[in-house]
Amino acid sequence: LVRPGPQQADQMGLRFVAFIIDYLILIIPLNMLNVGVFSRYFESPTLVHLLTDATLIAYYAILEGLWRASIGKRLVGLRVVLAPGGRAAGVSRAAGRTLIFETPNFVLLAIMFVVGEARMAQFAAESPLMAAPVSSVAVVLLALLFSTARRRNGFAGVHDLWTGTRVVQRV
């Protein structure tokens, strides 16, 4: 199940490609849910964002927890497994991985809540550059999630280390 050695170095690129595939698969249906359902029944953009995140967490928790791979990871030949052993991570660990990975989004939600949705919309309307510092917080936090990735630990991010999971290439 695990291909050891130099092929691990390819993982970071493959993980990014898998992320983009999953993002594209998720973004269209989630936007349809946001426009067609969530925003119709819920006035708060923050609540709509939370419902979107809950859907995303369910996607990864079920697919990676039970079947070891999201659609994106499956297409590029990656799997999420318990380390060591290679067993399926389980729904709770996969949900935990996703919650940790989504921390930058939750920080943005917290900023929106503290600053206020109306003020955030005003920032964005006045100038995209005024909203840039808030978005850069998410980028920095995402980079920190992978600050632990080293060849010796299988390029494990913080979300992998904390949940005892690893992303491996399928043979």
Side-chain angles (χ1 to χ4, degrees), residues 22-148:
D22 285 327
Y23 179 78
L24 292 173
I25 288 170
L26 287 168
I27 200 68
I28 294 169
L30 285 177
N31 279 338
M32 290 170 57
L33 271 175
N34 284 344
V35 172
V37 179
F38 295 159
S39 61
R40 185 177 299 165
Y41 295 104
F42 305 103
E43 291 182 20
S44 167
T46 304
L47 184 57
V48 170
H49 199 306
L50 281 172
L51 290 169
T52 301
D53 281 344
T55 305
L56 185 127
I57 290 166
Y59 169 85
Y60 284 106
I62 292 167
L63 293 180
E64 291 183 352
L66 297 178
W67 296 296
R68 297 186 180 135
S70 64
I71 294 169
K73 284 186 181 74
R74 185 168 299 277
L75 287 174
V76 300
L78 296 176
R79 300 290 179 265
V80 175
V81 298
L82 281 179
R87 294 188 336 251
V91 173
S92 61
R93 281 185 196 258
R97 277 181 101 251
T98 306
L99 282 168
I100 295 166
F101 187 80
E102 287 296 310
T103 298
N105 280 334
F106 295 132
V107 169
L108 287 178
L109 278 174
I111 291 169
M112 283 176 59
F113 182 76
V114 170
V115 172
E117 293 166 359
R119 188 72 177 130
M120 288 295 291
Q122 183 181 353
F123 281 158
E126 289 173 0
S127 169
L129 293 177
M130 295 199 61
V134 174
S135 298
S136 64
V137 169
V139 172
V140 168
L141 289 173
L142 189 58
L144 287 174
L145 284 174
F146 284 98
S147 65
T148 59

